[in-house]
């Protein structure tokens, strides 16, 4: 097998695939220092579609699992399928559901899937006229991929106007921001739903909640995600049934009706508003760090699940989920999501208690062979335990035992659910 990517999500995928009774040989491109301890890493970049296809052919790979969105939107799955290689991850048309926010909004509106009202603009004057007619706060979104930074939740009209001008006139986010969405602000709790999709068939994975802001108490700038837990008990079984009926089933049906033969993860970002669940966005891949808490809760063989999706045999696939709670604390390099140091030596605890796993994200080896930081999000310290409080205690004890000069992490992952009890 070949796993494409280099983050905590991919380390989790590699670990869970290696745990399969099928005992696969696993390659990862490009991987990281932690993945290299479990699998063979090959230095091919995720943007190098031709290089990845050549690697898969050369190594006689039988199945490719793609982690990040960029190679999917570049058509990696198309190229692999054209070469006769089974792949988990959508072709470029499906990846557009993440790569273009206006494309997705049009699909949501066309199929009446609950989402925030929005207008589409490529010119400043009509955008400002639309803004004047809407209340604040209001959300301004660049159409294209902007590494999670192309969304401004404007609290004032002046902030909203500045965001519109920055994107449409100022070239902020480059071509990703030449087309924008102005969207009503949704109020409520956010939750992430990962759905394994194969055409018209789908399996909903265990619920999870992310913590997107960098600081405790949900303060500071948005990040890729600072920590997660699963299950998200705010999504009760009754609410999950409603989300399935009103959002998941219609989304999968709409994607199929539009002619996308979607095979991969549909990650539905949801806002649980007072009026019901609303779609914030789709992603077309596993979440990071949602994967780190969702996959360890699967009793089901992950390889069998993803293979069934890739072969069009997902209908009726039985999913078995462990009752334990899982929680992941992301250790980042201080300064992330802005500038941060690289190359700081990392010392991990020599032994971990049962239930604790440290997934690597931005890690590498220096010339002396030492483990060093190599990205903004460095590690995903994850624990699985009978209660969320126990999982949090185990994960935080392990975080405290990690040594690194630039170590930063949130202290309140899971607090919302723990305090609700
Ligand atoms: P996105 O890239 O679409 O996930 O947006 C990034 C973050 O912005 C989301 O995770 C939400 O926290 C926030 N956001 C996006 N759209 C809205 C909205 N319509 N109302 C409130 N918050 C939003
Ligand atoms: N954790 C949010 C994401 O993967 O986009």
């Amino acid at each position: 097998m070949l796993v494409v990517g280099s983050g905590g999500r991919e380390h989790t995928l590699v670990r869970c695939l290696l745990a399969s009774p099928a005992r696969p040989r696993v390659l990862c491109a490009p991987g990281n220092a932690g993945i290299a301890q479990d699998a063979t890493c090959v230095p091919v970049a995720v943007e190098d579609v031709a290089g990845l296809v050549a690697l898969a052919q050369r190594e006689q790979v039988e199945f490719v699992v793609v982690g990040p969105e960029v190679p999917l939107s570049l058509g990696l799955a198309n190229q692999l399928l054209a070469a006769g290689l089974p792949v988990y991850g959508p072709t470029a048309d499906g990846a557009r559901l993440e790569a273009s926010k206006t494309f997705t909004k049009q699909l949501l509106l066309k199929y009446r899937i609950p989402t925030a009202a929005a207008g589409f603009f490529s010119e400043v004057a009509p955008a400002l006229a639309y803004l004047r007619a809407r209340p604040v706060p209001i959300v301004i979104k660049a159409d294209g991929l902007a590494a999670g930074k192309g969304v401004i939740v404007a609290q004032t009209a002046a902030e909203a106007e500045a965001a519109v001008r920055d994107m449409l006139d100022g070239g902020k986010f480059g071509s990703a921001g030449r087309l924008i969405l102005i969207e009503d602000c949704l109020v409520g709790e956010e939750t992430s739903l990962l759905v394994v999709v194969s055409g018209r068939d789908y399996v909903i994975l265990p619920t999870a909640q992310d913590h997107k802001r960098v600081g405790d108490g949900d303060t500071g700038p948005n990040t890729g995600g600072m920590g997660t837990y699963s299950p998200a008990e705010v999504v009760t079984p009754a609410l999950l049934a409603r989300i399935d009926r009103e959002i998941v089933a219609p989304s999968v049906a709409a994607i199929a009706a539009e002619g996308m033969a979607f095979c991969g993860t549909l990650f539905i970002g949801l806002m649980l508003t007072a009026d019901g669940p609303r779609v914030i966005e789709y992603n077309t891949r596993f979440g990071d760090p949602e994967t780190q808490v969702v996959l360890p809760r699967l009793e089901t063989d992950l390889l069998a699940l993803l293979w069934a999706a890739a072969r069009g045999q997902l209908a009726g696939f039985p999913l078995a989920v462990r009752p334990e709670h899982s929680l992941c604390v992301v250790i980042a390099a201080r300064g992330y999501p802005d500038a941060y140091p690289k190359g700081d030596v990392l010392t991990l605890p020599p032994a971990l208690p049962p239930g604790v796993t440290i997934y690597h994200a931005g890690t590498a080896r220096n010339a002396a062979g030492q483990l060093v930081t190599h990205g903004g999000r460095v590690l995903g310290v994850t624990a699985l335990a009978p209660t969320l409080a126990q999982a949090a205690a185990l994960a935080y004890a392990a975080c405290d035992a990690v040594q690194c000069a630039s170590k930063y992490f949130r202290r309140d992952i899971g607090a919302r659910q723990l305090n609700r009890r």
Side-chain angles (χ1 to χ4, degrees):
M1 301 195 51
L2 171 64
V3 173
V4 176
S6 62
R9 165 183 50 211
E10 287 77 19
H11 196 188
T12 313
L13 284 164
V14 165
R15 281 279 179 95
C16 293
L17 292 168
L18 283 169
S20 168
R23 304 190 60 85
R25 182 174 74 99
V26 179
L27 305 173
C28 185
N32 60 39
I35 296 174
Q37 292 172 347
D38 297 320
T40 304
C41 291
V42 188
V44 181
V46 300
E47 298 84 6
D48 182 3
V49 169
L52 291 167
V53 175
L55 169 67
Q57 288 177 318
R58 188 167 71 241
E59 294 289 339
Q60 299 179 324
V61 163
E62 291 172 83
F63 188 28
V64 182
V65 175
V66 184
E69 62 275 17
V70 167
L72 295 169
S73 65
L74 292 175
L76 175 60
N78 305 61
Q79 297 296 320
L80 289 166
L81 292 171
L85 289 165
V87 55
Y88 181 80
T91 46
D93 55 347
R96 249 187 112 198
L97 294 164
E98 174 164 359
S100 170
K101 292 189 193 295
T102 55
F103 174 71
T104 290
K105 184 63 81 174
Q106 275 154 350
L107 178 119
L108 291 167
L109 296 174
K110 176 174 173 184
Y111 290 91
R112 297 178 188 281
I113 299 168
T115 188
F120 306 80
F121 302 94
S122 56
E123 311 266 350
V124 173
L128 296 185
Y130 181 84
L131 269 185
R132 273 177 224 115
R134 308 302 296 184
V136 287
I138 189 135
V139 183
I140 320 294
K141 297 186 171 184
D143 176 63
L145 292 178
K149 292 185 182 153
V151 176
I152 308 289
V153 182
Q155 299 299 327
T156 64
E159 212 185 316
E161 185 167 326
V164 165
R165 289 188 190 280
D166 278 352
M167 291 188 201
L168 290 181
D169 262 358
K172 199 168 180 183
F173 312 121
S175 62
R178 269 207 285 274
L179 182 62
I180 64 167
L181 265 174
I182 301 180
E183 179 171 305
D184 288 0
C185 191
L186 299 168
V187 178
E189 242 183 84
E190 231 178 297
T191 188
S192 310
L193 201 64
L194 305 181
V195 186
V196 174
V197 177
S198 176
R200 293 184 177 273
D201 302 313
Y202 64 92
V203 172
I204 299 177
L205 297 182
T207 56
Q209 216 163 12
D210 190 9
H211 299 62
K212 296 215 172 188
R213 303 296 195 97
V214 77
D216 284 9
D218 296 327
T219 54
N222 255 323
T223 69
M226 294 302 294
T228 40
Y229 58 90
S230 174
E233 290 177 341
V234 67
V235 184
T236 60
L239 179 56
L240 185 61
R242 179 176 179 186
I243 292 170
D244 188 3
R245 191 171 63 242
E246 295 181 3
I247 291 177
V248 182
S251 294
V252 173
I255 291 166
E258 290 292 306
M260 291 171 255
F262 193 99
C263 168
T265 306
L266 185 68
F267 167 146
I268 309 181
L270 292 169
M271 192 73 88
L272 307 177
T273 76
D275 301 325
R278 300 281 182 273
V279 175
I280 299 173
E281 62 164 350
Y282 294 135
N283 294 314
T284 60
R285 50 170 176 81
F286 284 108
D288 189 343
E290 284 85 350
T291 303
Q292 288 87 318
V293 291
V294 168
L295 295 188
R297 293 192 58 232
L298 296 186
E299 198 106 55
T300 300
D301 176 12
L302 178 70
L303 175 50
L305 174 67
L306 304 187
W307 182 248
R311 308 309 288 171
Q313 294 161 354
L314 197 59
F317 192 96
L319 192 73
V321 177
R322 290 182 212 281
E324 286 97 335
H325 294 249
S326 57
L327 182 137
C328 171
V329 180
V330 169
I331 293 186
R334 190 174 294 279
Y336 172 79
D338 300 316
Y340 52 82
K342 276 190 185 178
D344 279 346
V345 174
L346 260 174
T347 309
L348 304 190
L352 294 169
V356 178
T357 307
I358 297 183
Y359 297 112
H360 288 232
T363 68
R365 298 267 167 200
N366 64 16
Q370 293 169 298
L371 187 66
V372 295
T373 64
H374 193 64
R377 294 190 291 173
V378 178
L379 301 170
V381 179
T382 304
L384 190 69
T387 68
L388 185 63
Q390 288 165 331
L394 281 169
Y396 276 112
C399 287
D400 287 330
V402 169
Q403 291 171 37
C404 175
S406 53
K407 178 172 86 168
Y408 168 78
F409 55 94
R410 275 182 65 161
R411 277 280 167 193
D412 64 343
I413 303 304
R416 188 184 265 150
Q417 183 157 308
L418 290 166
N419 293 338
R420 194 158 27 219
R421 291 171 156 222

